Amino acid sequence: MNLLFDLLPVQATEYAKQVDALYLFILAISAFFTLLFVGLLVGFTLKYRRRTQDERPEPPHEHYTLELVGGAVLLALLMGMFFWGAKLYFKAQRPPADAMEVLVSGKQWMWKLQHPSGKKEINTLHIPLGKAVKLSMTSEDVIHSFFIPAFRVKNDVLPGRYTQVWFKPEQEGTFHLFCAEYCGTEHSRMIGYVRVLSQEAYDRWTMNLGDADETPVQAGGRLFAELGCIACHRPDAGALGPDLTGVFGHEVALSDGTTLIADDNYLRESILNPQAKLVAGYAPIMPTFQGSVNEEQLAQLITYIKSLSN
Amino acid sequence: MSSAPDTSATAMPKNYLNEKITVSSWLLTLDHKRIAILYLVSLLAFFLIGGLAALVFRVELMTPEADVLRSETYNKFFTTHGIVMIFFFLIPSIPAVLGNFLVPVMIGARDFAFPKINLASWYVFMFGGVLALIATIAGGVETGWTFYTPYSTMYANSNVILAVCGAFIAGFSSIMTGLNFIVTIHKMRAPGLTWFRLPLFIWAMYATALVILLGTPVVAITLVMIFVERAFGFGIFDPALGGDPILFQHLFWFYSHPAVYIMILPAMGVVSELISCFSKRRLYGYRVIVFSSLAIAVIGFFVWGHHMFVSSQSTFAGLTFSFLTFFVAVPTALKMLNWIMTLHKGSVSLASPMLYAFGFLGLFVIGGLTGLFLSTLATDIHLHDTYFVVAHFHYVMVGGGVMGFLGGLHFWWPKITGRMYPEGLAIFAAIVIFIGFNLTFFPQFQLGVHGMPRRYHVYPEEFQVLHIASSTGAMVLGFGYLIMGAYLIWSLKFGKIAGKNPWNARGLEWETDSPPPTHNFHETPVVRHPVYAYEYASETSNEPDVQSEKGHV
Amino acid sequence: MSDSRPSYLAHHFDHLEQQKQSATLGIWLFLITEVMFFGGLFLGYIVYRGLYPEAWHLGSGKLDIALGATNTVVLIFSSLTMALAVRSAQVGNRKGCAHYLLATIILGSMFLGIKAIEYSHKFFPGPDSHYFLIPGKNFSLASPYADQVQIFFSFYFTMTGMHAIHMIIGIGILIWLYVKALKGSYHEHYYNPVEVTGLYWHFVDIVWIFLFPLLYLIGRH
């Protein structure tokens, strides 16, 4: 990559190419208006430069046709940009259903990553070519931001909740991974690489270097038993807690009469602050697990509960 | 201008500068012009501090590794640069210096409505400034000027509390200034000076004051929340308790986005004055410029969320804020259109203040248009928190705000000091500053597009060439400012006597002596014409302007 | 003009009417900034109440409604005496103006005294309240919502604290006005400072009128 001559960085996803098309569109409009403006500025300055001190130019006539037409044309162009940008934004916000989920935890100053296979890594993310990958991200301390320039994706990573980005790499290679939100002393060292491997290479990497004993789902299931969740959250009648099979992604009726769709953040809240949104028909007896599970275990539990829905 | 330059001090008639010269007559003055000078001196000191901080980290950034500074120190330098430049230079710059000096004179008043509040505003400002400086010297602050939680409240190991107090206190000084502006413009205009005869600089000050009054209190209370959370351990934004750090960002940007307009609207006002004077005619679309200033002030309050497209605010919020942001572009573009149309069929002279105005136009058009990449959702996701953003806001705030401030300072320098600066040097400095600025910040667009995140101490090697260009530019820019400072100081003693109206401009400030007498006018002026009436000899006379330049340069 | 200028007309104004109008516009603008200032806190309050209604309910229940209600009455009375002080100045009753100012000062101080008693109950839990309700490390409350109740109390102390600071500043200004009023400085031709301070005082009063239901009553429905 040559920064002096390349207009744009490497485009390693289809989405990156789409963003770049929009970028070039705005760039063309900007360049046009800049040149027009500077051209008029120079042209008028030369043509109407002050020749004698006694010159008295006519005061301008107030008429607003130019302003109205100019404003309307501009607004139309701007709305074009808005809708184009919004369309891509929607795309970036909605990962495909079959995306492979990687858990990301930001911490001053490193990225901890865990694959569906259970394999963990730090600061380097290995992903298979041509497969949609969704990152479920949270932070253990301050706000970070997960940024892969080659994929044109970025999202802040916050303590106490989950955010996500997704992408589908279409080029093998090694790409930068940056923390984009200032997070303290070694912010600029909270960087790493994304290595896009062919599917075979990825599988090989997963197995050969796999040092994980269990997958996140397995770990979550183990925790579910160890922490005693299973004692109440049982499928049989008379259980003290609601059965969690099939909960994720579905509507839940709450004790205050409202309903919501159980998502990552709801599950998280229900583990840490169980009475906040109580499921209808159950007594507020569940203790909080704040402090008894760490971020990693929490993510594993949630992954396990999600797996009960499939 | 006088053909026989007399540089002796005795040549000056009695004016606000030489009436009393004791230290206490300055420190206890209620004269808005002297308060403006107090502000000017203090602001230039802050500008120097902020500028030096920038130079230090620009030197550090010439290589990808850490060689001059440790990471902690680097972070403290960029934070100092941000806090000092934004809270203690840019926000007060034009309002507190040029506005304080000119608003009463331009509307034909003897002073502001509340002179004591005006003086108090300077003391409050200095108190806040000193606190912030103590914070940066005694240990430093490393949160960035944005004070994002939970970093600022729970993780930073530095003088966050002092810096927050400094910014909080400085806010009150802004409020006092803004309040004085609005009341004075409403209640103290000279006879005949109707709303639509007001110079555009006054309109810009009015719009700015509105933003100050509505926005500053919100950042004040936000800083209070940071203060109680950090100092007393009160959980407000703490995620561990269920607090929401995003709420802080909403509150912070509710002020800090309009604050951008506090910095740029005054510069737009100055540029309007400059373009009118150096094209020798009323501005094209005067009313459009007036209403566009007000529109920017109002719309500016509804777009803060565009700083948070990747913060995990909801998709709907992202869409709304992106949509609304585009509407700021329309009044801004109309201003540009009107300025350029004023040149058309005008009588354009390229005196040094006009060069700064042109510098403003050239840089602001880039600053404004690059804003489009950042208001568009998909492109902002990539560019957010990269050097593209850094370049964009420097083009707006330095290319726009500082260029406007310097243009205005040169334009009204003869009015303020009674003396001219050397024009040749001024033109040279303006060109050096323009080149230095572009060399510093243009490469940063390219850095940002290629993914270089901001606030990085060390960076991947491929970014180095552009960083070297940027650092070189910073030095050229600094050199330009130095030349300017040198000749301005020189002119205080050795400059040619300026006379009442060295630029043959229109406006009440040019009808009184240079420097003006203590109460601005020997008798209250009566305005008889629409604004920028270059067809008449002056604002207060009905004689047509025949060869009024005879005897002027 | 200069020979007929009264001493209380500042040099830069043309006439008294201009001076009076400027002062009035100035204070109203200032009050707008105050609305924005407290608005930030109210916004935070609303957001968190929406997120944690149970915690707000619990927290509200821990406040002393009797003391809060007493304070509301005290403050409303202080607004009455303040209004009477302005009225006295307007009709030229110099003595009455001073007396009413004094009454306002006393009522304002009473409010702060009661507030101090209330605060101290949170610091030093008594027999009927077992919990240390100052947010921070030592915050204690046996409830699954303890963390969020802590946020409630952060808002309680920040909001009432900011309000109290406004009261203290107000009382300071009132004392200064009282000293001048004793000398008879305010009368039918010149009462700007009293009127302007009155507007400020009423504003601070109104803030409390919002705070009282939002903090004390919201949990009791």
Side-chain angles (χ1 to χ4, degrees):
Chain A
M1 159 162 75
N2 187 330
L3 260 65
L4 285 182
F5 303 107
D6 290 347
L7 196 55
L8 291 161
V10 57
Q11 306 161 320
T13 59
E14 187 58 36
Y15 174 74
K17 286 176 190 149
Q18 292 165 348
V19 171
D20 286 355
L22 172 57
Y23 176 89
L24 291 173
F25 170 69
I26 305 176
L27 186 65
I29 289 177
S30 303
F32 171 74
F33 279 110
T34 307
L35 290 176
L36 178 72
F37 186 80
V38 174
L40 288 176
L41 192 69
V42 173
F44 288 166
T45 305
L46 292 176
K47 182 150 185 234
Y48 301 109
R49 69 178 181 279
R50 194 172 294 177
R51 291 186 168 76
T52 67
Q53 290 300 324
D54 300 338
E55 265 179 4
R56 270 298 158 269
E58 280 282 294
H61 299 288
E62 298 270 338
H63 56 93
Y64 300 120
T65 330
L66 186 61
E67 325 249 3
L68 282 173
V69 172
V73 168
L74 182 70
L75 195 59
L77 282 172
L78 295 177
M79 286 300 103
M81 285 175 205
F82 167 73
F83 282 110
W84 192 342
K87 204 176 135 215
L88 286 172
Y89 178 67
F90 270 123
K91 198 168 176 174
Q93 298 275 310
R94 291 188 186 152
D98 62 341
M100 165 179 128
E101 187 173 8
V102 175
L103 308 180
V104 177
S105 170
K107 175 183 186 317
Q108 283 177 328
W109 292 275
M110 62 173 80
W111 294 107
K112 299 198 282 189
L113 309 138
Q114 189 178 17
H115 290 258
S117 62
K119 171 134 187 63
K120 293 179 192 171
E121 49 185 341
I122 286 179
N123 288 351
T124 305
L125 173 62
H126 289 80
I127 42 172
L129 180 72
K131 194 161 179 191
V133 176
K134 179 177 98 176
L135 308 182
S136 227
M137 311 186 292
T138 189
S139 163
E140 295 180 18
D141 38 46
V142 302
I143 301 178
H144 304 279
S145 189
F146 194 93
F147 176 31
I148 306 171
F151 299 167
R152 314 287 187 272
V153 294
K154 179 186 292 136
N155 209 96
D156 284 5
V157 177
L158 289 104
R161 70 172 81 170
Y162 295 104
T163 56
Q164 59 180 31
V165 294
W166 78 276
F167 41 81
K168 190 175 173 188
E170 269 149 33
Q171 184 178 331
E172 281 182 45
T174 301
F175 308 104
H176 280 299
L177 153 62
F178 293 126
C179 173
E181 181 65 61
Y182 175 68
C183 58
T185 313
E186 300 299 348
H187 167 54
S188 65
R189 291 192 172 90
M190 192 167 166
I191 64 176
Y193 293 98
V194 177
R195 291 194 205 284
V196 180
L197 310 171
S198 67
Q199 185 68 48
E200 307 86 75
Y202 176 76
D203 291 340
R204 233 178 10 252
W205 172 83
T206 308
M207 295 201 281
N208 289 352
L209 299 169
D211 54 356
D213 325 317
E214 47 187 3
T215 66
V217 174
Q218 287 166 340
R222 179 176 48 76
L223 285 167
F224 200 74
E226 282 175 15
L227 293 166
C229 314
I230 203 162
C232 298
H233 292 286
R234 281 175 297 142
D236 50 312
L240 295 174
D243 176 20
L244 299 180
T245 311
V247 158
F248 183 78
H250 292 91
E251 200 162 90
V252 176
L254 301 183
S255 56
D256 63 0
T258 59
T259 59
L260 52 72
I261 303 288
D263 58 4
D264 291 48
N265 282 315
Y266 173 66
L267 293 180
R268 178 193 175 88
E269 183 182 38
S270 299
I271 296 170
L272 298 179
N273 182 15
Q275 271 78 44
K277 299 197 180 81
L278 199 64
V279 177
Y282 291 93
I285 49 160
M286 177 170 157
T288 172
F289 284 82
Q290 179 99 52
S292 15
V293 288
N294 63 25
E295 285 296 343
E296 192 179 334
Q297 293 169 323
L298 196 52
Q300 288 164 342
L301 273 172
I302 292 170
T303 318
Y304 170 70
I305 295 169
K306 283 192 219 171
S307 75
L308 296 175
S309 306
N310 302 331
Chain B
M1 196 181 307
S2 166
S3 51
D6 183 350
T7 55
S8 65
T10 51
M12 295 277 183
K14 251 196 182 326
N15 59 51
Y16 81 100
L17 286 172
N18 62 15
E19 192 147 15
K20 275 188 200 144
I21 49 168
T22 59
V23 173
S24 68
S25 78
W26 275 92
L27 292 181
L28 298 177
T29 182
L30 296 179
D31 181 353
H32 66 99
K33 299 183 290 302
R34 285 195 165 194
I35 295 169
I37 303 290
L38 292 176
Y39 263 117
L40 176 63
V41 174
S42 3
L43 286 180
L44 290 179
F46 281 113
F47 185 63
L48 186 67
I49 293 167
L52 287 176
L55 269 186
V56 172
F57 67 69
R58 270 322 320 171
V59 169
E60 164 63 45
L61 287 171
M62 288 183 89
T63 62
E65 303 85 31
D67 17 45
V68 184
L69 305 170
R70 290 184 309 149
S71 291
E72 276 172 340
T73 325
Y74 173 84
N75 296 342
K76 286 173 183 170
F77 268 98
F78 79 66
T79 303
T80 303
H81 174 69
I83 291 178
V84 167
M85 284 300 202
I86 289 178
F87 292 114
F88 298 100
F89 177 73
L90 280 167
I91 287 177
S93 64
I94 297 180
V97 178
L98 299 174
N100 255 338
F101 193 97
L102 291 164
V103 167
V105 189
M106 281 178 134
I107 66 171
R110 288 189 286 278
D111 206 322
F112 278 110
F114 312 116
K116 284 178 193 157
I117 290 181
N118 200 18
L119 178 65
S121 87
W122 181 72
Y123 277 101
V124 167
F125 173 77
M126 288 310 284
F127 182 49
V130 168
L131 282 189
L133 283 186
I134 292 173
T136 56
I137 292 164
V141 191
E142 31 88 325
T143 57
W145 77 278
T146 44
F147 300 117
Y148 268 24
T149 56
Y151 186 73
S152 63
T153 50
M154 308 173 70
Y155 290 87
N157 300 308
S158 57
N159 296 330
V160 180
I161 290 180
L162 264 184
V164 162
C165 289
F168 175 79
I169 291 168
F172 284 99
S173 127
S174 282
I175 291 177
M176 291 179 189
T177 304
L179 197 140
N180 239 329
F181 281 9
I182 294 193
V183 174
T184 307
I185 294 170
H186 267 279
K187 297 291 173 199
M188 304 191 65
R189 302 191 307 275
L193 191 56
T194 57
W195 281 95
F196 286 108
R197 286 181 176 183
L198 286 177
L200 287 164
F201 180 73
I202 298 291
W203 273 110
M205 286 297 125
Y206 187 82
T208 307
L210 283 180
V211 182
I212 288 176
L213 286 188
L214 292 174
T216 316
V218 179
V219 82
I221 193 65
T222 313
L223 294 173
V224 167
M225 292 188 213
I226 290 278
F227 177 86
V228 297
E229 183 156 11
R230 188 168 170 96
F232 307 144
F234 282 19
I236 290 184
F237 304 115
D238 180 2
L241 302 177
D244 187 357
I246 300 297
L247 177 65
F248 167 80
Q249 296 177 21
H250 279 294
L251 287 167
F252 178 82
W253 288 116
F254 181 83
Y255 164 76
S256 297
H257 186 73
V260 173
Y261 303 115
I262 297 178
M263 303 180 225
I264 195 70
L265 277 171
M268 290 170 161
V270 169
V271 166
S272 298
E273 297 293 316
L274 297 180
I275 290 181
S276 167
C277 171
F278 295 102
S279 306
K280 232 190 235 180
R281 66 206 294 239
R282 194 176 73 239
L283 271 149
Y284 187 91
Y286 167 88
R287 281 176 192 239
V288 176
I289 298 189
V290 168
F291 286 113
S292 65
S293 292
L294 296 175
I296 290 172
V298 173
I299 302 171
F301 274 105
F302 298 95
V303 301
W304 76 88
H306 67 217
H307 294 265
M308 301 166 60
F309 287 157
V310 301
S311 72
S312 90
Q313 72 180 355
S314 75
T315 310
F316 178 72
L319 285 174
T320 311
F321 285 118
S322 168
F323 181 74
L324 291 173
T325 301
F326 282 106
F327 284 89
V328 182
V330 177
T332 313
L334 288 182
K335 276 180 191 283
M336 304 294 274
L337 174 73
N338 288 312
W339 287 326
I340 204 98
M341 288 306 291
T342 308
L343 300 179
H344 180 244
K345 295 187 176 170
S347 165
V348 184
S349 138
L350 283 183
S352 51
M354 187 65 154
L355 279 188
Y356 281 104
F358 275 28
F360 171 97
L361 293 177
L363 301 179
F364 185 72
V365 75
I366 295 176
L369 286 166
T370 49
L372 298 178
F373 295 87
L374 301 174
S375 32
T376 307
L377 286 157
T379 42
D380 179 72
I381 289 179
H382 176 59
L383 298 170
H384 181 84
D385 270 338
T386 68
Y387 265 67
F388 191 94
V389 177
V390 177
H392 160 70
F393 70 66
H394 280 88
Y395 265 83
V396 174
M397 292 183 198
V398 184
V402 176
M403 282 300 208
F405 175 67
L406 296 181
L409 194 62
H410 281 79
F411 184 54
W412 285 293
W413 188 257
K415 182 53 65 185
I416 295 170
T417 66
R419 291 177 189 274
M420 296 300 292
Y421 50 81
E423 175 73 3
L425 265 177
I427 289 175
F428 176 66
I431 293 170
V432 172
I433 289 174
F434 185 79
I435 292 172
F437 176 86
N438 279 301
L439 188 53
T440 312
F441 293 106
F442 202 78
Q444 295 187 359
F445 283 122
Q446 183 73 348
L447 278 171
V449 171
H450 284 265
M452 168 84 202
R454 61 192 286 206
R455 297 172 168 178
Y456 262 32
H457 176 217
V458 295
Y459 55 85
E461 270 174 26
E462 68 253 34
F463 295 122
Q464 188 178 7
V465 179
L466 291 170
H467 270 300
I468 289 178
S470 182
S471 295
T472 315
M475 285 166 207
V476 175
L477 185 59
F479 177 64
Y481 288 141
L482 275 188
I483 306 176
M484 189 195 73
Y487 70 71
L488 285 182
I489 291 171
W490 178 89
S491 77
L492 288 177
K493 194 154 171 58
F494 304 105
K496 281 194 293 185
I497 300 289
K500 265 191 179 177
N501 190 356
W503 311 112
N504 188 29
R506 289 296 170 272
L508 286 179
E509 78 270 30
W510 303 108
E511 311 254 312
T512 187
D513 302 341
S514 303
T518 301
H519 293 309
N520 297 345
F521 297 94
H522 297 296
E523 55 189 272
T524 305
V526 178
V527 177
R528 301 184 195 282
H529 310 294
V531 68
Y532 307 125
Y534 280 88
E535 56 275 30
Y536 293 100
S538 79
E539 301 285 338
T540 51
S541 109
N542 273 330
E543 287 168 36
D545 181 40
V546 195
Q547 321 255 316
S548 64
E549 271 93 336
K550 294 248 163 99
H552 290 281
V553 176
Chain C
M1 186 175 70
S2 53
D3 5 319
S4 64
R5 286 178 81 92
S7 61
Y8 43 81
L9 175 58
H11 77 88
H12 54 288
F13 289 111
D14 292 333
H15 44 78
L16 269 176
E17 186 55 26
Q18 190 186 29
Q19 172 166 319
K20 184 166 177 297
Q21 283 185 7
S22 299
T24 312
L25 179 59
I27 189 70
W28 279 109
L29 288 172
F30 176 72
L31 293 183
I32 290 173
T33 71
E34 288 279 22
V35 169
M36 298 302 288
F37 184 82
F38 280 100
L41 276 174
F42 282 112
L43 177 84
Y45 173 96
I46 291 165
V47 167
Y48 284 125
R49 173 168 148 69
L51 284 172
Y52 310 118
E54 294 85 357
W56 251 234
H57 181 90
L58 267 172
S60 176
K62 298 272 174 260
L63 297 178
D64 191 326
I65 198 163
L67 290 180
T70 315
N71 252 349
T72 309
V73 174
V74 168
L75 210 50
I76 289 176
F77 262 98
S78 83
S79 256
L80 174 67
T81 54
M82 187 70 232
L84 288 169
V86 176
R87 178 74 193 150
S88 307
Q90 282 172 339
V91 298
N93 178 359
R94 299 180 192 213
K95 217 169 198 174
C97 173
H99 289 161
Y100 283 122
L101 284 173
L102 184 61
T104 315
I105 294 169
I106 292 169
L107 287 167
S109 311
M110 262 177 74
F111 175 92
L112 287 174
I114 295 173
K115 198 80 223 154
I117 293 169
E118 246 192 295
Y119 275 7
S120 70
H121 288 171
K122 308 290 178 295
F123 272 99
F124 311 108
D128 43 314
S129 159
H130 312 283
Y131 304 115
F132 179 81
L133 293 172
I134 311 296
K137 281 198 187 70
N138 302 320
F139 186 84
S140 73
L141 185 71
S143 157
Y145 300 108
D147 287 348
Q148 289 80 36
V149 176
Q150 210 182 124
I151 297 182
F152 173 83
F153 275 97
S154 296
F155 273 94
Y156 166 76
F157 280 107
T158 312
M159 291 171 114
T160 54
M162 281 296 131
H163 179 258
I165 288 173
H166 278 78
M167 293 284 297
I168 293 168
I169 293 169
I171 290 173
I173 299 171
L174 285 174
I175 291 173
W176 178 66
L177 287 183
Y178 175 64
V179 172
K180 293 199 79 171
L182 279 180
K183 294 183 200 150
S185 303
Y186 307 117
H187 43 79
E188 62 270 37
H189 301 296
Y190 180 65
Y191 51 87
N192 276 347
V194 187
E195 189 181 29
V196 160
T197 310
L199 284 168
Y200 171 80
W201 191 260
H202 298 317
F203 170 80
V204 177
D205 191 359
I206 289 170
V207 170
W208 179 258
I209 299 296
F210 278 91
L211 288 181
F212 178 63
L214 284 180
L215 294 170
Y216 291 78
L217 303 181
I218 203 104
R220 295 160 216 261
H221 37 77

